[in-house]
Amino acid sequence: MKIFNFSAGPSMIPHKVMDKAQKEFLNYNGMGIGVSELSHRTIEFSDIIDKTENNIRKLMNIPTEYSISYIPGGASLQFYMIPANFLINWWGCEYIHTGYWSEKAIVEAQKCCYVRVSSSSRDANFRRIPNLRKWKNNPDSSYVHITTNNTIEGTQYHSYPEMEYGVPLVADMSSDIMTKVTDIKQFDMVYASTQKVLGPTGLALVIMKKKLTERSYNKNLPTMLDYNTYIHEKSMHNTPPTFSVYMLMLVTDWLLEQGGIETMDKINMLKSEVIYEKIDASGGYYKNLVEAPHRSRVNIVFRLPTKDLSELFIHQAEEEGLLGLRGHRSVEGIRASMYNAMPLEGVERLVDFMDKFERTHG
Ligand SMILES: *Cc1c(COP(=O)(O)O)cnc(C)c1O
């Protein structure tokens, strides 16, 4: 039986990538040593890091004024590094509050400065993105922070706020980076932990306008918390998580082979439509409470009529080879995460299972 992993993260990695990594784990490039045994100061590793950067630039169409860095500590370390590096005064950075992860980002920023939460969808139980049509950023904000896809709540921005007064826009894209076509020029900085869309844990991919680091008023940052360290030393000031970077290279190779982000965008759209259609056609047996224009294409959250039925659903799905469907502990029910590595076939298997389950227990 073919297994499909719907886990939110760590999540599914393309089979072809896993296969190649398995071989090269023992013997990289015919060297007779494994990729994890390779010194980061070798030409071979230097090629890995360069190729990864080239792949990412190609895939996301990133101009040279942006740097690309790999920083340990996941997205959660970025929650602190961003205010620590980008504050131009102590009284203002601005956050749009859309759920669990944006809240974590706010809490870390509050350790550095006064944080303005200039918009929030808490009143709507985070079942939407706030209406930003009339929203305006503050002229004296050091930056504005958004979370483009809310992994736990299953909401997603399908257009981004327009910035005024040259205030930078910073985005946590951990769970939707490279899953849809995005114009990097709308952002001054984008970051993503790698274990959702891009491979295994261990890193945050950080893409930012190099100019941003000149703004900071804090000139005395610890070396490892200063973006300049990563930019000027190509993420090799100290020993980087070499295996994670290598996996990022393989995943981005695979993405290019598939036809890049445009192809992923179309497939991801189709995959999510198949599931939402099933949910909406079930007459309320399966319920997704997110307002339709803000539904996430990659994390689909739904409920069954009772908690017991949800438990049974998760249990029986596992027996059928559909893993990782349990929702986050803060939101009950089911969550199907389907990033780039999840093929349409896996989603069809899930929909068939939903059909069968509803017929048996409806
Ligand atoms: C998973 C996730 C995080 C946290 O990532 P870590 O690598 O565990 O720190 C932050 N933001 C979003 C949107 C996420 O999905």
Side-chain angles (χ1 to χ4, degrees):
M1 183 173 51
K2 209 160 165 182
I3 306 286
F4 290 100
N5 177 10
F6 289 90
S7 167
S11 57
M12 191 166 174
I13 296 173
H15 188 80
K16 219 176 145 191
V17 169
M18 296 287 273
D19 223 33
K20 183 154 192 204
Q22 184 189 37
K23 295 196 179 90
E24 295 188 332
F25 190 73
L26 289 177
N27 185 356
Y28 182 71
N29 227 359
M31 295 172 79
I33 62 169
V35 65
S36 293
E37 299 173 290
L38 196 60
S39 161
H40 61 298
R41 302 294 177 202
T42 54
I43 291 168
E44 285 80 6
F45 186 74
S46 183
D47 285 348
I48 289 175
I49 216 161
D50 288 344
K51 177 128 188 278
T52 310
E53 175 165 341
N54 286 338
N55 285 354
I56 294 168
R57 283 196 192 277
K58 238 187 264 172
L59 284 164
M60 295 182 69
N61 204 6
I62 300 173
T64 49
E65 74 212 72
Y66 288 79
S67 61
I68 295 180
S69 309
Y70 316 104
I71 304 181
S76 298
L77 183 64
Q78 295 308 305
F79 294 164
Y80 186 83
M81 278 180 77
I82 288 161
N85 280 264
F86 297 154
L87 288 176
I88 50 172
N89 51 48
W90 60 267
W91 64 86
C93 55
E94 204 167 328
Y95 281 68
I96 297 180
H97 185 16
T98 48
Y100 182 95
W101 289 116
S102 67
E103 171 122 9
K104 296 259 185 207
I106 289 166
V107 168
E108 289 305 295
Q110 282 168 338
K111 294 173 184 171
C112 299
C113 66
Y114 174 72
V115 176
R116 251 186 224 125
V117 177
S118 58
S119 193
S120 169
S121 48
R122 190 201 290 276
D123 288 351
N125 264 324
F126 302 121
R127 287 172 189 154
R128 54 172 300 132
I129 301 294
N131 185 349
L132 298 172
R133 222 167 299 144
K134 289 196 190 120
W135 171 91
K136 281 211 171 6
N137 64 276
N138 255 279
D140 62 351
S141 290
S142 295
Y143 60 88
V144 173
H145 181 281
I146 65 170
T147 310
T148 54
N149 182 74
N150 296 283
T151 324
I152 292 169
E153 295 79 6
T155 61
Q156 188 174 23
Y157 285 79
H158 295 297
S159 64
Y160 303 111
E162 301 277 335
M163 305 299 290
E164 291 189 23
Y165 317 108
V167 170
L169 180 61
V170 170
D172 177 357
M173 280 197 187
S174 289
S175 47
D176 68 349
I177 191 165
M178 297 196 207
T179 64
K180 60 196 267 231
V181 175
T182 337
D183 181 5
I184 189 74
K185 293 193 285 303
Q186 281 188 274
F187 301 91
D188 296 83
M189 182 220 184
V190 157
Y191 66 102
S193 53
T194 45
Q195 73 275 13
K196 307 279 165 56
V197 185
L198 302 172
T201 59
L203 288 178
L205 168 63
V206 176
I207 303 165
M208 65 183 196
K209 279 199 182 138
K210 291 174 204 161
K211 266 208 326 256
L212 266 190
T213 57
E214 294 162 11
R215 295 161 44 96
S216 169
Y217 78 84
N218 188 351
K219 299 291 178 207
N220 205 18
L221 284 167
T223 308
M224 295 303 287
L225 294 186
D226 186 340
Y227 287 121
N228 287 303
T229 305
Y230 298 87
I231 294 172
H232 297 145
E233 300 185 58
K234 283 182 78 175
S235 304
M236 290 211 276
H237 171 76
N238 73 330
T239 321
T242 55
F243 187 73
S244 299
V245 176
Y246 158 78
M247 287 296 283
L248 187 52
M249 176 183 79
L250 294 190
V251 171
T252 49
D253 278 345
W254 177 83
L255 278 171
L256 285 164
E257 269 169 42
Q258 303 302 302
I261 313 286
E262 286 81 7
T263 310
M264 289 299 136
D265 190 316
K266 289 196 192 97
I267 301 173
N268 290 332
M269 176 83 103
L270 183 62
K271 275 155 41 187
S272 63
E273 277 170 4
V274 169
I275 304 246
Y276 284 123
E277 263 167 35
K278 171 71 211 151
I279 292 171
D280 293 342
S282 73
Y285 185 77
Y286 297 112
K287 252 199 196 106
N288 168 279
L289 298 171
V290 175
E291 293 186 24
H294 307 280
R295 283 172 160 183
S296 169
R297 290 190 202 160
V298 282
N299 303 103
I300 299 183
V301 175
F302 59 93
R303 287 184 185 177
L304 281 84
T306 66
K307 222 173 161 175
D308 286 348
L309 279 170
S310 285
E311 283 301 315
L312 190 65
F313 181 97
I314 292 163
H315 181 71
Q316 291 192 353
E318 271 171 16
E319 287 177 348
E320 304 233 350
L322 307 171
L323 309 187
L325 285 162
R326 184 180 294 282
H328 189 264
R329 56 190 188 279
S330 66
V331 184
E332 276 169 34
I334 316 293
R335 171 173 54 177
S337 301
M338 11 195 259
Y339 310 118
N340 294 336
M342 175 64 65
L344 185 59
E345 184 195 349
V347 174
E348 283 165 347
R349 275 265 301 278
L350 175 58
V351 168
D352 287 346
F353 174 74
M354 288 169 75
D355 256 341
K356 196 173 80 180
F357 191 88
E358 187 186 345
R359 266 186 275 117
T360 324
H361 303 282

